[in-house]
Amino acid sequence: MYEKPKDLWKVTDVNKYQLHVTISSIDSTIKSENVDERVVYKEDLEKRRQAYGICGECKEPGTGYRWCQPCNSKRFKDFLNEIKSHLQIYLDDIVRCYGITQDPNNKEYMMVLLYCEDGNLRNYLNESNDYINYKSKIDKLQQIARGLLDIHNAEKVHKDFHSGNILFSYHPFISDLGMCQPVNIKQTVKEERIYGVLPYMSPEVLRGYQYTKAADIYSFGIIMNEFLSEEIPFNDIPHDEFLAIKICKGLRPTISNDIPKLLADLIIKCWDAEIENRPTIKELYQILKEWYYNNNQNSEIYSQIKKYDKTREEKFKTRSNEDKFESIKIHPQAIYTSRLLSFKNLPEPVNSSDLSSFQVNSDDVPSVSETLISECFDCKI
């Protein structure tokens, strides 16, 4: 049984302890009466690491933070880049980075982040003792979309967007900006090795092509379906090259038949094989926000969520916590942590013509039409 971790944070004197890491506009090595001792400058971190540590790979002393230059200095640069991303995207829907700390024994630096007591999205669903209705889920989804909008507005892409990186406290936060990078970084050649969690990765990324904002939208669609259906994507099959091939051929996770049609249609738009058919994050946020604040009882979304809430709530009441955990069966080769992947000769991405590859409820109700989306675009953020 999952045990919730204890909150070990203590209230500290912010006038005494380090505030944050920043990027200096002047030479931070120059001593000045105006230097704030609570601030560590990014440039100084690189200098400090040269004096400490034993390489975790070759075990040579005094060569770096944990990995020496010949072995893997990129790891330390990634750490600095993640700090930089937090400084550039310091907003309410991104998990807050309060600063850094250093292990006194091995001298490794670590980030100090907001403690999210409800864990990630999967923990949040598993640990809930109350039924989470569609209205609440739409609210959470529009908050997640708002966080991704913050990232995209900063002209960055997340690149590792999956349910494990959606953390919950009093509301959802996007975490793990380690892969986050500017949109305008171009790949000069097609990459053979990629990084991420396979079920959440778009087909064009699996094929090694440029990671774009549209790839984050694909991942959002998978997360959206997981949150609404409360089912783990591709949990019963190996996450291998055969799955990558099937995704490129149009395979997608099952959409539960008790998900409202409008929401199901929006999910399908997000994971369209053609990137130009996917909505932007601004469009997604506006649609979800519109639906959340829509209290018109005659509206299509209102009637749909009311109908399907009744069905899901009855299922929730008849299922015990033990049944919930027993029903989640993970294939031993289904891997939900980010890792390096390498696929070759994957087919061109297409949408599946076989609708059995993902199930959509067949109620005779309107789908997300272009008219509805255009109306939602008129909303102001």
Side-chain angles (χ1 to χ4, degrees):
M1 184 67 69
Y2 171 77
E3 293 185 5
K4 187 179 294 185
K6 295 180 181 179
D7 186 351
L8 301 177
W9 291 110
K10 297 180 181 179
V11 177
T12 60
D13 182 358
V14 295
N15 292 314
K16 179 180 179 182
Y17 293 100
Q18 176 182 313
L19 289 176
H20 60 279
V21 177
T22 190
I23 304 167
S24 66
S25 57
I26 59 172
D27 185 355
S28 61
T29 61
I30 298 175
K31 297 299 180 182
S32 169
E33 294 180 359
N34 297 322
V35 171
D36 189 340
E37 295 298 333
R38 296 168 297 161
V39 175
V40 174
Y41 291 95
K42 178 174 176 284
E43 294 89 334
D44 288 338
L45 285 179
E46 179 64 29
K47 295 173 183 176
R48 287 186 187 187
R49 83 179 185 94
Q50 299 299 330
Y52 300 117
I54 295 177
C55 178
E57 300 292 335
C58 68
K59 309 303 179 184
E60 288 295 322
T63 52
Y65 155 71
R66 184 176 177 185
W67 299 275
C68 65
Q69 186 74 21
C71 289
N72 203 344
S73 63
K74 182 180 181 296
R75 301 193 190 198
F76 188 76
K77 292 179 181 177
D78 289 342
F79 174 77
L80 295 182
N81 287 337
E82 184 165 2
I83 294 171
K84 184 176 180 180
S85 293
H86 274 286
L87 294 173
Q88 293 172 332
I89 312 170
Y90 195 68
L91 300 166
D92 287 341
D93 301 298
I94 309 297
V95 70
R96 187 63 55 84
C97 177
Y98 293 109
I100 63 166
T101 187
Q102 188 178 38
D103 189 306
N105 296 318
N106 60 23
K107 305 301 180 182
E108 287 193 29
Y109 287 104
M110 298 172 285
M111 284 181 292
V112 180
L113 302 172
L114 172 72
Y115 176 73
C116 295
E117 65 275 9
D118 293 324
N120 62 28
L121 185 145
R122 178 52 43 191
N123 302 137
Y124 175 75
L125 292 174
N126 289 343
E127 291 296 304
S128 176
N129 294 320
D130 301 313
Y131 171 68
I132 308 172
N133 61 38
Y134 278 118
K135 186 77 171 179
S136 176
K137 286 184 176 180
I138 291 173
D139 181 34
K140 299 293 190 296
L141 285 168
Q142 64 102 8
Q143 291 171 0
I144 296 169
R146 188 173 62 196
L148 188 57
L149 178 62
D150 292 337
I151 293 173
H152 286 190
N153 279 344
E155 288 304 311
K156 290 179 177 286
V157 284
H158 189 283
K159 293 193 69 177
D160 194 19
F161 201 43
H162 57 83
S163 61
N165 284 336
I166 306 296
L167 304 182
F168 281 79
S169 184
Y170 51 92
H171 73 75
F173 296 90
I174 295 176
S175 70
D176 195 356
L177 302 183
M179 292 289 292
C180 191
Q181 70 176 30
V183 174
N184 58 8
I185 292 182
K186 301 294 183 183
Q187 294 172 195
T188 55
V189 294
K190 182 178 174 181
E191 294 182 359
E192 292 186 353
R193 294 178 67 82
I194 51 177
Y195 185 84
V197 179
L198 179 54
Y200 301 85
M201 300 173 72
S202 67
E204 72 273 10
V205 170
L206 292 176
R207 298 186 76 238
Y209 287 103
Q210 180 71 34
Y211 198 104
T212 64
K213 292 179 180 179
D216 279 342
I217 298 300
Y218 180 96
S219 302
F220 184 94
I222 304 293
I223 293 169
M224 184 176 176
N225 183 56
E226 180 177 359
F227 192 29
L228 294 174
S229 69
E230 302 189 13
E231 299 291 337
I232 304 174
F234 302 132
N235 64 295
D236 56 348
I237 57 176
H239 294 176
D240 54 16
E241 187 171 5
F242 295 105
L243 176 57
I245 292 171
K246 290 177 182 177
I247 289 173
C248 289
K249 289 185 175 181
L251 179 68
R252 301 293 185 267
T254 298
I255 297 179
S256 174
N257 57 10
D258 54 12
I259 289 181
K261 182 69 159 58
L262 287 173
L263 291 169
D265 284 352
L266 190 57
I267 291 169
I268 293 171
K269 279 183 173 291
C270 289
W271 64 33
D272 196 294
E274 299 293 334
I275 62 175
E276 60 269 18
N277 293 338
R278 299 172 200 164
T280 66
I281 192 57
K282 181 178 180 180
E283 293 166 358
L284 270 176
Y285 171 61
Q286 290 173 331
I287 292 170
L288 292 166
K289 182 180 178 182
E290 172 86 0
W291 285 346
Y292 176 68
Y293 288 105
N294 189 333
N295 294 316
N296 180 2
Q297 297 187 16
N298 295 321
S299 68
E300 201 60 60
I301 188 65
Y302 185 94
S303 61
Q304 285 186 31
I305 64 176
K306 183 178 180 181
K307 174 183 177 180
Y308 290 105
D309 260 334
K310 184 177 180 181
T311 302
R312 290 190 70 92
E313 188 168 13
E314 288 176 355
K315 289 182 180 179
F316 183 86
K317 289 178 178 178
T318 58
R319 187 175 66 176
S320 65
N321 284 334
E322 288 75 15
D323 292 336
K324 182 190 292 188
F325 283 102
E326 288 178 3
S327 65
I328 302 174
K329 296 180 180 178
I330 306 295
H331 192 281
Q333 295 177 44
I335 302 171
Y336 292 95
T337 53
S338 300
R339 56 184 174 136
L340 282 172
L341 300 166
S342 180
F343 302 123
K344 296 181 179 179
N345 302 319
L346 293 182
E348 287 284 343
V350 295
N351 289 315
S352 175
S353 58
D354 178 14
L355 294 180
S356 65
S357 65
F358 49 86
Q359 181 179 344
V360 181
N361 61 77
S362 57
D363 297 75
D364 188 20
V365 294
S367 63
V368 182
S369 66
E370 294 302 321
T371 303
L372 173 60
I373 292 180
S374 64
E375 288 175 355
C376 289
F377 291 170
D378 294 331
C379 303
K380 294 190 183 297
I381 299 178

